[in-house]
């Protein structure tokens, strides 16, 4: 979640995906948000508290998100159990 960037949607944005903000939890210096993609997949993102305040996002809002370049990890659905602790 620390490599996911969350912003407000804006015209002309490249390399972002839209989703719906469905949850948030204040964790001190960060806010952990849950975003649901159009495909129904949940994405977690950790947003610095100062940035969260600037976003002025509320649960139910549409947000844009992307994963920082070089930080993407993809796990096939049939091997998802490998990521569980």
């Amino acid at each position: 979640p620390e490599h996911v960037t969350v912003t407000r949607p804006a015209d002309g944005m490249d390399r972002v995906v839209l989703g719906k903000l469905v949850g948030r939890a204040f964790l001190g210096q960060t806010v952990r948000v849950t975003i649901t993609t159009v495909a129904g997949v949940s994405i977690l993102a950790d947003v610095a508290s100062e940035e969260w305040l600037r976003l002025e996002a509320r649960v139910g809002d549409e947000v844009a998100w992307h994963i920082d370049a070089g930080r993407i990890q993809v796990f096939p659905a049939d091997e998802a159990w490998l990521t569980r602790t």
Side-chain angles (χ1 to χ4, degrees):
E2 62 273 9
H3 301 299
V4 178
T5 301
V6 180
T7 60
R8 288 291 201 169
D11 291 336
M13 294 180 82
D14 293 333
R15 299 182 320 121
V16 298
V17 181
L18 297 179
K20 184 176 184 178
L21 180 65
V22 296
R24 49 136 175 67
F26 178 69
L27 302 176
Q29 293 186 4
T30 61
V31 177
R32 177 158 291 173
V33 299
T34 306
I35 301 165
T36 299
T37 67
V38 176
V41 176
S42 292
I43 301 291
L44 294 177
D46 288 342
V47 180
S49 294
E50 304 85 36
E51 181 62 26
W52 175 253
L53 292 172
R54 281 192 291 273
L55 281 175
E56 296 181 349
R58 301 200 189 307
V59 171
D61 287 353
E62 183 177 62
V63 293
W65 63 274
H66 75 274
I67 300 173
D68 298 339
R71 303 289 187 169
I72 298 172
Q73 296 182 9
V74 179
F75 300 96
D78 61 345
E79 295 180 18
W81 63 272
L82 294 173
T83 63
R84 294 187 192 139
T85 56

